[in-house]
Amino acid sequence: MTLAITKTTSTAVPAVVGADLRVPLVTGERVTYANLDHAASAPCLQEVRDAVDELLPWYASVHRGAGFASQVSTRVYEQARDRIRRFIGAHSSDAVVFTRNTTDSLNLLARSVPKNTAVVLFDSEHHAALLPWRGPNVQRIPAPSSSGAAVVALDRALAAAPVGPRLVIVTGASNVTGELWPVAELAKVARRHGARIALDAAQLAPHRPVNARELGVDYVAFSGHKIYAPFGAGVLVGRADWLQQAQPYLVGGGATSKVTDHGDRLGVAWSAVPERHEAGSPNVVGVHALAAACEILSRHWEQTVAHEQELLTRLREGLRTIPGFRELSILTDVDKVGVVSFTVSGFDAGFLAAALSAEYGIGVRDGAFCAHVIVGRLVKQVGSHEDRAVRASIGLGTTVEHVDRLVAALRTLVTEGPKWTYTQRDGRWVPEDDGRTLPPFLA
Ligand SMILES: Cc1ncc(COP(=O)(O)O)c(C=O)c1O
């Protein structure tokens, strides 16, 4: 997963929709929005929007119509499977199941594993990867502090796992710290113990090339909305056998090849994968957008990585000059994608996020980032009494000005205090007398 990073200018990366978005401040001014929340949901790529526009006149039912537009939509939907396979270097025999998002994909996998599968994962996983796996067959390994320790811990856990099917779940990049997990090394360990391995690529796929075959992973899950294609599609790619044997967890039209009436019961023949797990009318627009985003990113990896790393370095260097700033970290010896979570001593994360938005037009995330276990531990390690942090995350829409604005705004907030008054309402910090108006289409 290493990539030579070449020096490029920020303008070389694909453009995003909304780059010039103007947002109101509590003071009544308007500024260009500094979106530093790409890890939550990334803006749409301009070229993805173009691809969607191109499809929309042809939009029609998928798998259900004889009309020409239906045939076009069906072709778009089915071709997207190969486009995604190519993007992540999957085997031609791998199933590509379209879902709503990574959460859906990992829940589908959890419902598909054979009974009594021993599941091993680190407790630093996002809830989407952590919560579907609970019960006596699940081993949660405390988050290690280095990539070497991760490999040793997994080896030990698998050596102790019961005989039978085994599955390891691992994230490619942490949504809390952006740190890159040693996926290829963990996959080797898994293989040695006869275990399969599933990669949660929600945070990795938008930022680095992922090649399932080179990494040696059996399943890959990621989300369209994090990879600049926010049209409601996600995907699970991987070995077909378990998925083929599993009962669909969402049932309905499309997942069945034949339903027969036996009076007191219905006889149902489930379709083969992938349709077996795609009940209901498919999201062809989302899937087309997802495939388009994958192809666009594939053409721009060098610029994308260089752009993000340049900004990440600038952001971290700037933040380190803020009094009381403490960055959260799990693995201390790895590279990271553009995600920085931090606390500032003496300041509530929710207050900082609210003030950054209200006074500076900056969007960051605050809280425990759907990873309560690890965030709770990391904030304690940096001496915070809260169980929350602030997360700034970089993507293709980020500029030098956004990064510099965040650093300058935080410095002002921390050294001079806010220029507005804030109050807590329903557990959230909000500005008092917030006169910011919503855009006209919401009025
Ligand atoms: C590492 C990771 N895994 C899984 C998810 C879940 O993704 P989604 O909300 O698109 O299902 C996220 C979302 O933040 C994530 O960061």
Side-chain angles (χ1 to χ4, degrees):
M1 268 195 302
T2 48
L3 197 82
I5 296 174
T6 51
K7 212 61 179 158
T8 55
T9 61
S10 315
T11 52
V13 299
V16 299
V17 176
D20 300 325
L21 184 70
R22 306 278 291 172
V23 292
L25 304 183
V26 276
T27 54
E29 289 163 80
R30 280 189 172 261
V31 294
T32 308
Y33 187 49
N35 178 1
L36 287 165
D37 199 11
H38 286 73
S41 280
C44 186
L45 286 181
Q46 184 60 55
E47 285 180 78
V48 167
R49 175 153 89 178
D50 295 344
V52 167
D53 277 350
E54 200 173 20
L55 169 64
L56 286 179
W58 295 98
Y59 174 77
S61 64
V62 170
H63 297 152
R64 288 159 169 79
F68 195 74
S70 285
Q71 290 175 31
V72 171
S73 283
T74 301
R75 182 74 69 92
V76 165
Y77 189 75
E78 288 304 325
Q79 276 186 351
R81 299 193 203 276
D82 284 332
R83 297 165 76 189
I84 303 283
R85 247 188 225 107
R86 271 198 298 280
F87 176 67
I88 57 146
H91 295 276
S92 55
S93 56
D94 281 341
V96 176
V97 182
F98 290 119
T99 62
R100 288 180 295 157
N101 47 36
T102 309
T103 304
D104 198 15
S105 298
L106 294 174
N107 274 274
L108 167 60
L109 182 60
R111 296 294 187 99
S112 303
V113 300
K115 215 164 170 274
N116 298 327
T117 297
V119 174
V120 181
L121 41 74
F122 294 98
D123 68 4
S124 44
E125 294 297 333
H126 186 280
H127 290 169
L130 192 67
L131 298 184
W133 317 96
R134 282 169 295 154
N137 299 328
V138 180
Q139 266 199 78
R140 271 191 293 117
I141 309 174
S145 58
S146 70
S147 50
V151 170
V152 170
L154 180 65
D155 195 24
R156 277 210 197 106
L158 285 171
V163 178
R166 295 159 167 197
L167 179 67
V168 174
I169 318 293
V170 68
T171 190
S174 163
N175 70 308
V176 178
T177 64
E179 290 154 355
L180 295 166
W181 283 66
V183 177
E185 289 82 355
L186 295 172
K188 259 188 221 133
V189 173
R191 191 79 53 241
R192 208 168 52 240
H193 288 280
R196 297 187 184 191
I197 180 163
L199 175 64
D200 170 358
Q203 295 295 342
L204 181 62
H207 300 283
R208 297 289 167 104
V210 176
N211 188 303
R213 268 173 306 165
E214 283 174 15
L215 290 171
V217 297
D218 301 280
Y219 303 93
V220 179
F222 60 100
S223 302
H225 74 103
K226 290 190 195 291
I227 196 165
Y228 308 97
F231 293 88
V235 69
L236 174 68
V237 183
R239 292 170 70 169
D241 52 351
W242 288 356
L243 294 164
Q244 183 57 46
Q245 285 153 22
Q247 291 286 314
Y249 90 103
L250 184 67
V251 296
T256 52
S257 55
K258 184 87 182 155
V259 178
T260 41
D261 186 355
H262 297 280
D264 58 341
R265 67 182 177 85
L266 291 176
V268 184
W270 299 113
S271 307
V273 286
E275 289 82 7
R276 186 182 191 85
H277 297 298
E278 292 179 349
S281 294
N283 174 7
V284 60
V285 174
V287 158
H288 180 57
L290 176 59
C294 290
E295 286 167 356
I296 296 157
L297 283 182
S298 297
R299 293 199 299 272
H300 292 94
W301 277 130
E302 286 194 359
Q303 297 97 313
T304 298
V305 175
H307 166 83
E308 290 180 5
Q309 291 298 310
E310 222 172 281
L311 293 175
L312 177 62
T313 304
R314 190 178 184 98
L315 176 63
R316 292 175 89 192
E317 282 173 358
L319 289 174
R320 283 189 198 125
T321 66
I322 307 289
F325 165 83
R326 300 293 304 272
E327 182 173 348
L328 307 188
S329 172
I330 307 168
L331 303 177
T332 51
D333 59 343
V334 295
D335 287 342
K336 55 192 258 159
V337 299
V339 175
V340 181
S341 293
F342 59 92
T343 60
V344 180
S345 59
F347 289 87
D348 187 292
F351 160 75
L352 289 174
L356 288 168
S357 169
E359 296 179 39
Y360 300 93
I362 298 170
V364 292
R365 172 101 186 257
D366 68 283
F369 321 130
C370 298
H372 294 177
V373 174
I374 189 65
V375 170
R377 198 174 306 148
L378 295 179
V379 291
K380 271 198 195 73
Q381 273 171 22
V382 297
S384 172
H385 301 299
E386 308 188 83
D387 52 2
R388 312 160 69 79
V390 179
R391 181 180 72 187
S393 52
I394 288 167
L396 291 172
T398 310
T399 66
V400 167
E401 191 277 325
H402 295 169
V403 167
D404 291 353
R405 197 188 323 168
L406 173 64
V407 173
L410 266 178
R411 179 172 298 108
T412 306
L413 283 169
V414 168
T415 56
E416 297 171 21
K419 295 182 175 48
W420 203 261
T421 313
Y422 296 82
T423 185
Q424 274 192 303
R425 202 170 297 144
D426 301 328
R428 301 266 327 150
W429 284 96
V430 290
E432 279 184 1
D433 304 320
D434 187 353
R436 290 175 292 174
T437 52
L438 293 168
F441 71 86
L442 276 177

